[in-house]
Amino acid sequence: MLKNTDISNRFISSWIEDIAKITQPKEIVLIDGSNEQTEALRELACSTGELIRLNTEKMPGCYLHRSNPNDVARVEDRTFICTEKREDAGSINNWMDPDECKKKLTGLYRGAMKGKTMYVIPYSMGSVGSQFAKYGIELTDSVYVVLNMLIMTRAGKDALDAIGDGDNFVRGLHATADLDESNRYIVHFPEENTIWSINSAYGGNVLLGKKCFALRIASYLGRREGWLAEHMLILEIECPSGEKKYICAAFPSACGKTNLAMLIPPSIYQKRGYKIRCLGDDIAWLRVGSDGRLWAINPENGFFGVAPGTSEKTNPNALFTVQKSTIFTNVAHNIDNNTVWWEGLTDNAPSHLTDWKGNHWDPKQYNKKDPSTFAAHPNSRFTAPTSECPCLSDKFNDPDGVPISAIIFGGRREHLTPLVYQSRSWQSGVFVGSAMASETTAAAVGKIGIVRRDPMAMRPFVGYDMGDYFTHWLDMGKKLSNPPKIFHVNWFRTDKDGRFLWPGFGENMRVLEWIIKRCNGEAEAREEAIGYLPLDNDICTDDLDIFDKSTLSELLRVDANEWLCELDEIEKFYNEIGKRMPVELYSELDCLRKRLTD
Ligand code: GTP
Ligand code: SPV
Ligand code: MN
């Protein structure tokens, strides 16, 4: 068993003992973050087949992992917030009574690690020692989880030292068990800083520092302590003047955060001196600075990014990042040269592929419209260290974070929402975020392409009542003397044949330029019922050959009747949230309805 000399903190050692009594591992190993231990674990994973070592010349330090085919995405219907009082979890979250939940799951955990090793992973979310940083310990029986956590967080001895003798850390427990879907649970006890996960071994379900801690538990702590934990990328724009601005953007899962965060500006923008650098691609923690501005850090240390669609054309920075020290999950294996492939990486698939399930892949049965014929799973991912990202901002490790000039909300909408618009104020911006909706994607189990309300891209990740969450956003605005401006974007509007109207990816720079100019008071706008929109010439279309001005007008069109229908949907959603919905947002809704009908 774990030697007492390894962990002097009695809160940690007694908790480990309690868990070990239930799960009954054959040994307990502390993860120290050393290269030797990490390398030994990689060797172990290769020897058991949990990982496949990829071509060491072309992709040094890279591995392929295949998860169980029943376990390929987050499971929202099996995710619970277990507060003492049901109403504190709110009506949007699944709730279970904490005692009942513990009783049920303790039964499932009993003996679940028999014959296995239980790893103890101390980790920090945020730079160790930063005022933003929070600490956690994850107990897991999965080497895959350990190796991913070593990339995604700052894990090892430094984090353990930072916890010191205290009790202030998030207790995470993960057991793979037998991957029984009907007994898969991802449960959170925000009042006890505790997360339990069982019967999964995939991504957001088991890398407990990510969605479970850095969003669900952290959003709960943020409300109590006066800060925000959000599903947002953070990017830096260097303007031709040399001035640097910082932007956060919240888009739902698989709706373009990683791509926007690593954007390469079109050549006309590069010539003018614009540069984009990345600080984060998924999660931001935001605090009010002493200067009255909103400051952000990315609490993670790696990217858990969507592989399909990532290519030299769409996201060269991501492609470069994953050439080294990366774990790929559920992508296809190119057996000719021991590398990886996924739909969209190249126009044509290589001739000999093993699909994500480990079977020979027959290109003849490939059907673009049927994901079950794909070589890579639509939610296949890469886990890559931020340090490999060629466009990482030098502020990435800054313990104070960066000051935010603009917040962008966005979703995947074929119709309705224009390419970009700006809200009138912080309060109307909170309304815009609260009213977000997006078509569902493969990042969570369930039907794909269905429009659902996803406020601030946080529907699956708020660790408390949604009405209280909106109130907290409104309160944060009151503490900001110099708040970020709030915008909404939609890269996904389509024509009558279902083709995207906007080229997206690097070309999104054209929209970012308008946003930055609005923040600097340098761009005009036309006022519409929903907010401020660019004038026709304000979005630069130079060098966009296949694009005509009428497409831009279509992208910026606001249809009052469609919006009135949307407001009915928003109101239904507000009513579903229930009695803790702030009146300010109902009044925003009413005012917008009036403006649309006037
Ligand atoms: P999570 O990691 O699940 O939170 O996703 P994400 O928000 O980081 O999304 P990501 O950037 O990985 O993009 C998801 C999918 O959307 C990929 O298949 C991209 O190719 C596609 N995508 C991203 N940006 C754009 C865009 O500007 N236009 C279009 N048409 N597709 C995009
Ligand atoms: C998401 O679904 O938003 C992700 C992937 O970033 S996961 O870590 O699985 O939640
Ligand atoms: Mn995400």
Side-chain angles (χ1 to χ4, degrees), residues 74 210-211 231 251-260 281-282 304-310 314-315 378-379 381-382 412 441 443 491-492 500 502-506 508:
R74 283 183 293 101
K210 197 173 179 56
K211 296 298 163 55
H231 192 194
F251 309 154
S253 303
C255 290
K257 290 183 298 302
T258 304
N259 278 272
L260 189 66
D281 79 327
D282 200 51
F304 186 61
V306 177
T310 308
T314 58
N315 194 347
N379 192 36
R381 296 210 172 226
F382 52 78
R412 209 179 254 276
T441 66
W491 315 139
F492 299 96
F500 292 123
W502 177 247
F505 302 102
N508 294 333

Side-chain angles (χ1 to χ4, degrees), residues 460-524:
F461 308 121
V462 178
Y464 58 100
D465 177 83
M466 192 64 82
D468 288 344
Y469 170 70
F470 295 152
T471 303
H472 181 41
W473 262 86
L474 293 169
D475 290 344
M476 285 292 290
K478 292 173 195 145
K479 291 191 240 167
L480 293 164
S481 54
N482 191 358
K485 305 265 187 297
I486 300 181
F487 298 81
H488 189 285
V489 300
N490 178 18
W491 315 139
F492 299 96
R493 209 148 144 168
T494 54
D495 64 14
K496 58 180 187 342
D497 301 317
R499 279 184 301 245
F500 292 123
L501 286 167
W502 177 247
F505 302 102
E507 310 299 347
N508 294 333
M509 181 68 219
R510 298 166 191 273
V511 174
L512 292 183
E513 182 189 27
W514 183 73
I515 288 174
I516 286 299
K517 286 191 166 163
R518 287 295 293 168
C519 292
N520 289 343
E522 294 165 359
E524 296 294 311

Side-chain angles (χ1 to χ4, degrees), residues 117-268:
T117 301
M118 180 165 87
Y119 297 96
V120 178
I121 317 169
Y123 63 94
S124 175
M125 300 310 290
S127 299
V128 175
S130 148
Q131 56 151 338
F132 284 87
K134 299 259 175 204
Y135 305 98
I137 296 185
E138 176 164 356
L139 308 179
T140 179
D141 55 7
S142 158
V143 180
Y144 169 78
V145 168
V146 174
L147 292 172
N148 274 273
M149 285 293 284
L150 281 163
I151 297 173
M152 292 307 298
T153 72
R154 294 154 173 99
K157 191 174 172 310
D158 291 353
L160 188 63
D161 290 347
I163 297 171
D165 294 331
D167 189 19
N168 193 8
F169 61 94
V170 172
R171 290 158 163 78
L173 168 60
H174 164 247
T176 308
D178 44 16
L179 300 179
D180 171 7
E181 279 172 285
S182 58
N183 276 314
R184 186 167 294 159
Y185 287 98
I186 320 296
V187 305
H188 308 71
F189 306 95
E191 289 145 347
E192 299 169 51
N193 258 353
T194 296
I195 305 158
W196 283 6
S197 162
I198 190 158
N199 276 314
S200 171
Y202 187 86
N205 296 334
V206 297
L207 309 179
L208 301 185
K210 197 173 179 56
K211 296 298 163 55
C212 300
F213 177 170
L215 289 180
R216 297 193 191 97
I217 298 286
S219 62
Y220 173 88
L221 294 174
R223 174 167 178 250
R224 231 175 41 190
E225 299 167 1
W227 53 282
L228 289 167
E230 296 298 327
H231 192 194
M232 289 177 175
L233 66 90
I234 311 170
L235 65 77
E236 175 183 289
I237 299 189
E238 186 177 324
C239 299
S241 65
E243 191 194 11
K244 290 175 180 168
K245 294 271 187 189
Y246 299 91
I247 293 181
C248 282
F251 309 154
S253 303
C255 290
K257 290 183 298 302
T258 304
N259 278 272
L260 189 66
M262 296 185 187
L263 173 155
I264 296 184
S267 59
I268 51 158

Side-chain angles (χ1 to χ4, degrees), residues 11 17 29 55 146 186 205 208 211 245 290 422 442 527 530 537 545 556 587:
F11 297 107
E17 252 171 56
V29 169
N55 189 318
V146 174
I186 320 296
N205 296 334
L208 301 185
K211 296 298 163 55
K245 294 271 187 189
S290 53
Q422 182 187 356
E527 194 172 352
I530 59 168
N537 287 323
D545 10 316
L556 295 172
S587 103

Side-chain angles (χ1 to χ4, degrees), residues 79-101:
T79 299
F80 292 82
I81 302 295
C82 304
T83 43
E84 280 298 324
K85 291 195 206 120
R86 180 178 207 136
E87 58 265 33
D88 290 341
S91 56
I92 302 301
N93 282 314
N94 300 315
W95 176 86
M96 241 194 289
D97 174 79
D99 291 336
E100 254 172 56
C101 177

